[in-house]
Amino acid sequence: MSSLAVATALQALLAMVPRSLVPQGVLGATKRTGSRIEEADHDSEDPDNKFSLDINNETDSLTSRCYGVYGCFSIAQPYLSLARPINVFPLSVRDLTPKFCLYTRANPSRCQKLRLGDPGSVTSSNFRTGAEVKVLTHGYLEHGDKKWLKRMVAEFLILGDLNVIVLDWLSGSGPPYTQTVANIRLIGAILGRFILDLRDYVGVEPGHIHVVGHSLGAQLAGYTGLYLKERGASLGRITGLDPAEPYFEGTEPVVRLDPTDADLVDVIHTDAGPIITGGLGTLQTSGHLDFYPNGGIRMPGCGAHLIDSVAKEQGNIPYGIRRFIGCNHIRSYEYFTESINAACPFLSIECGSWEAYLKGRCWECGRSWERCARMGAHAHSHLNYTQPKQTERKMFLITGADSPFCTFHHRVSVVMSYSTEARLQGGDVGVFYLTLYGQKGQSPRIQLNQEEIFFEPGNVYTYMIGSADLGHLKHVVLEWLYVTVYYNPLTWRLLSQPVVHVNRIHIDSIEMQERYEFCGLDMPFRSGTRRQLEWQAACPEQAPSPGASFLGTLINFDVEDTIYSNIDAVNSGLNSLGNGQFISNLASSTNQVARELMESARRRIGARVNKRRREGEDDTSRRKQRRWRVWG
């Protein structure tokens, strides 16, 4: 083990011990070791980078180390906490050696290296002083030549004549993870110094620079914004692509990406499940705009077989394995890359929760579209971020399972009939499916309610769905399937046939700003019925909705959600105890695991029930088969 590693490990250990209990001899020896290490770093300084790479390091204490113009870094609180039990110093600048590659339309695929403290490397390159600057960077165990970075560079150069710079910090992105977490603090400062050099050499203001980072690269961008802010400058924009969760979730804002790191901080969350279930990204809000596509935890199209994942990577097995394991995590940069030049706007709507969004409770953008925003490259469009009310907004949208991922959103309201026949029937339990037909094509068969519910006469049931751009809608096909809830006798139909009556389907197309009514004319829908509903200027009116009945409330009562609501209430109370945010996150992670286990069990039971139903086996025949297996 090198002397640097020994000194770093000893300092990290001593940082957790009260200073009064540490012998003075140990303190002195550690300081002398650190000084020798850093003097050696300074003596081996690259003369080409003598201006910006001023690393006249001095170890000030056991819990703080300075790196010249890049500042001093502490491993004490708030960087040491329950969420960050192991904390070390960044490696030396000499060991990290980040690289800056410039790409423009004059060199779209050939890297032009820009060097810190070397004005000539910028002025002699294809860098355009009047063009926007995009800085892209990767995460843990990655490098600057990744395919996704090259695709993003190409899309940006199609968008405009831009300066696209890729920050490659491969030398600092390797294991152990805790060392990489420490390294990005210094690399973020180095990027900050580089941005100040661009200001000083070619007149590019930091406020005109946009940094896009994935995973740990997003947290790195936050440290860049912090470095500039401490020196009187302000970074224009940071886009965090699924910022890394481990060692950042539940920490103080200064430790992680937060809204103060740039004039605009927009974040895309795609893998925000608990780390113990494989989630790698943060769930908590980190910017002015936090986008949670599909709820931010599980993305459509992920969970496929390994062979399918390899096929999507054109047979590249290592990339296929990475996609198979980290599908949700990489969706963030796939969405962002598509958004750069897509005609589809990736429109999102502000809402309190994903559940409320799915139920169609948040669907209006407002007269000036103040409650909506575009996820991805154009998140800055049509919004005024200088107002405090524009901070920490949760935005939700639906994406497709495959590229192109962007969808057009529709708020669908199923209005149940309140006719005499419908009231006599009393409603039934089941699931609705809808297919949209427009001028440009048709949607797939979309399941409206994800779980079976009791549909009552006269009530309205609302859902948010997504589809490709279908143009103006012409008609819809509605299907209803009866579902028996075996453990609930109130849902059994023993003496009559299950049926529901539909008055109309009301659809608000969000992006198209159009409203449609497709008339059901109070017709009965028996289980398995598929019926085409036509557009009309006005469907026949009916009596006002009576609201949920006692029977409907009893059948639709969700014990599971009630239990979790009580648990969440307890979690919120824990915030007042010690590191409450960390305790709450831990409890919430446990809740999420329980939800996923129950959901998995529900899917398995539902799959078995549906299989039996498709095979047409009744209870009598199954009993006969079991008897034959026992006695035959």
Side-chain angles (χ1 to χ4, degrees):
M1 182 180 294
S2 66
S3 59
L4 174 61
V6 173
T8 302
L10 181 58
Q11 289 173 1
L13 178 62
L14 293 177
M16 304 180 192
V17 180
R19 194 175 183 88
S20 60
L21 300 180
V22 181
Q24 290 299 317
V26 176
L27 291 173
T30 307
K31 289 182 180 180
R32 289 193 298 273
T33 304
S35 298
R36 286 198 302 272
I37 294 167
E38 290 156 41
E39 287 172 3
D41 287 339
H42 180 58
D43 293 340
S44 60
E45 174 67 26
D46 185 350
D48 292 338
N49 293 334
K50 58 182 178 299
F51 180 78
S52 282
L53 294 186
D54 178 9
I55 52 172
N56 185 19
N57 301 336
E58 293 182 1
T59 301
D60 299 331
S61 70
L62 289 173
T63 60
S64 180
R65 178 178 293 179
C66 298
Y67 294 77
V69 295
Y70 304 117
C72 301
F73 301 95
S74 169
I75 58 173
Q77 291 182 338
Y79 293 94
L80 181 65
S81 65
L82 289 175
R84 300 167 67 93
I86 301 175
N87 214 357
V88 297
F89 290 113
L91 298 176
S92 69
V93 177
R94 179 67 177 175
D95 290 332
L96 293 179
T97 60
K99 300 176 182 178
F100 299 90
C101 276
L102 171 67
Y103 297 92
T104 67
R105 286 184 170 177
N107 59 305
S109 58
R110 179 177 56 85
C111 165
Q112 284 188 333
K113 292 185 179 179
L114 307 180
R115 292 185 297 275
L116 281 164
D118 184 1
S121 68
V122 179
T123 56
S124 63
S125 70
N126 294 326
F127 188 93
R128 297 183 65 253
T129 56
E132 295 182 41
V133 179
K134 306 288 184 180
V135 180
L136 318 180
T137 191
H138 56 84
Y140 183 54
L141 298 178
E142 291 197 318
H143 52 77
D145 288 328
K146 300 293 289 187
K147 288 183 178 180
W148 69 267
L149 279 170
K150 293 181 178 180
R151 285 193 287 265
M152 193 178 292
V153 168
E155 290 295 329
F156 268 127
L157 294 180
I158 293 173
L159 177 66
D161 192 4
L162 309 175
N163 300 303
V164 184
I165 300 172
V166 174
L167 169 60
D168 184 343
W169 48 284
L170 171 64
S171 55
S173 68
Y177 179 79
T178 50
Q179 183 61 63
T180 307
V181 168
N183 291 342
I184 63 171
R185 298 176 64 188
L186 179 54
I187 298 169
I190 293 174
L191 175 57
R193 181 68 252 175
F194 176 79
I195 290 173
L196 292 180
D197 283 353
L198 289 180
R199 181 195 63 184
D200 297 339
Y201 299 156
V202 293
V204 177
E205 290 297 326
H208 296 158
I209 294 178
H210 178 195
V211 180
V212 182
H214 176 245
S215 193
L216 277 181
Q219 305 293 358
L220 182 157
Y223 292 131
T224 298
L226 177 63
Y227 178 88
L228 292 172
K229 183 172 60 176
E230 291 174 344
R231 286 152 183 81
S234 180
L235 187 59
R237 180 181 171 190
I238 293 175
T239 297
L241 303 177
D242 208 34
E245 172 191 1
Y247 274 56
F248 296 96
E249 184 91 19
T251 61
E252 296 292 329
V254 70
V255 177
R256 56 177 172 82
L257 178 66
D258 77 278
T260 67
D261 292 327
D263 296 337
L264 168 61
V265 179
D266 57 293
V267 183
I268 301 176
H269 302 265
T270 57
D271 194 20
I275 185 65
I276 57 178
T277 63
L280 300 175
T282 59
L283 179 62
Q284 68 186 118
T285 56
S286 305
H288 300 90
L289 292 171
D290 283 81
F291 297 92
Y292 295 88
N294 313 296
I297 296 177
R298 286 187 296 271
M299 299 300 105
C302 290
H305 294 293
L306 177 59
I307 295 177
D308 296 332
S309 300
V310 173
K312 287 185 178 180
E313 295 292 346
Q314 290 78 46
N316 188 311
I317 294 178
Y319 276 85
I321 294 174
R322 183 179 185 276
R323 174 176 290 277
F324 176 72
I325 296 174
C327 178
N328 294 310
H329 198 42
I330 68 178
R331 275 286 194 263
S332 58
Y333 61 67
E334 291 180 329
Y335 294 159
F336 184 87
T337 302
E338 181 181 315
S339 75
I340 296 173
N341 292 298
C344 185
F346 278 96
L347 189 69
S348 67
I349 301 177
E350 185 175 5
C351 201
S353 69
W354 172 240
E355 291 74 20
Y357 174 84
L358 277 184
K359 293 178 179 178
R361 296 174 184 170
C362 311
W363 63 281
E364 292 183 302
C365 290
R367 291 185 177 180
S368 57
W369 294 75
E370 66 273 9
R371 289 190 292 273
C372 290
R374 298 178 63 180
M375 182 183 77
H378 305 285
H380 59 286
S381 302
H382 310 301
L383 290 171
N384 179 7
Y385 299 103
T386 61
Q387 300 177 11
K389 66 178 182 180
Q390 300 290 348
T391 62
E392 298 184 7
R393 298 171 60 192
K394 290 185 176 182
M395 315 297 295
F396 296 93
L397 68 159
I398 297 171
T399 68
D402 295 296
S403 180
F405 297 105
C406 185
T407 66
F408 282 66
H409 298 84
H410 312 277
R411 180 178 182 259
V412 178
S413 298
V414 181
V415 183
M416 308 303 295
S417 173
Y418 200 57
S419 64
T420 302
E421 186 180 359
R423 293 198 301 271
L424 289 174
Q425 175 67 17
D428 265 307
V429 177
V431 176
F432 273 114
Y433 295 87
L434 187 69
T435 306
L436 307 176
Y437 290 82
Q439 294 175 330
K440 299 181 181 180
Q442 70 179 71
S443 73
R445 179 172 174 260
I446 302 172
Q447 182 174 339
L448 295 183
N449 51 302
Q450 299 304 308
E451 296 181 3
E452 64 277 358
I453 64 171
F454 183 74
F455 291 97
E456 293 193 69
N459 283 351
V460 180
Y461 301 87
T462 305
Y463 310 94
M464 188 72 76
I465 63 173
S467 72
D469 181 10
L470 304 175
H472 298 290
L473 299 182
K474 299 186 296 183
H475 63 267
V476 299
V477 171
L478 184 66
E479 178 183 359
W480 182 72
L481 289 178
Y482 169 69
V483 178
T484 299
V485 182
Y486 295 105
Y487 56 82
N488 190 345
L490 296 175
T491 68
W492 298 353
R493 280 286 180 183
L494 302 177
L495 303 177
S496 61
Q497 187 176 14
V499 63
V500 294
H501 298 75
V502 177
N503 177 265
R504 73 187 74 187
I505 299 291
H506 183 92
I507 297 180
D508 294 285
S509 291
I510 310 302
E511 285 83 357
M512 300 291 291
Q513 290 290 287
E514 294 179 337
R515 294 186 172 184
Y516 303 88
E517 278 198 346
F518 301 97
C519 300
L521 304 176
D522 299 329
M523 292 183 292
F525 278 74
R526 292 177 174 82
S527 184
T529 300
R530 299 181 75 251
R531 185 168 286 134
Q532 180 172 311
L533 308 185
E534 301 293 341
W535 176 86
Q536 292 186 17
C539 297
E541 293 295 332
Q542 66 172 10
S545 170
S549 66
F550 175 76
L551 178 62
T553 303
L554 189 62
I555 294 176
N556 286 335
F557 179 73
D558 196 328
V559 178
E560 183 181 326
D561 282 349
T562 302
I563 293 174
Y564 288 136
S565 296
N566 291 332
I567 292 176
D568 291 338
V570 174
N571 291 346
S572 63
L574 292 174
N575 283 331
S576 61
L577 301 176
N579 192 334
Q581 182 64 48
F582 174 76
I583 296 172
S584 180
N585 290 336
L586 182 61
S588 297
S589 297
T590 305
N591 296 348
Q592 181 62 32
V593 174
R595 286 186 177 94
E596 293 185 359
L597 290 175
M598 296 184 72
E599 180 63 25
S600 177
R602 182 185 290 112
R603 286 196 297 267
R604 288 196 298 270
I605 294 173
R608 287 198 295 268
V609 171
N610 291 334
K611 180 179 180 182
R612 290 173 181 173
R613 185 181 295 114
R614 287 194 301 269
E615 293 173 351
E617 295 180 353
D618 58 21
D619 293 338
T620 304
S621 64
R622 285 197 294 274
R623 284 197 297 270
K624 290 180 179 178
Q625 291 174 4
R626 287 197 293 269
R627 188 181 306 116
W628 174 255
R629 285 195 294 270
V630 173
W631 297 107

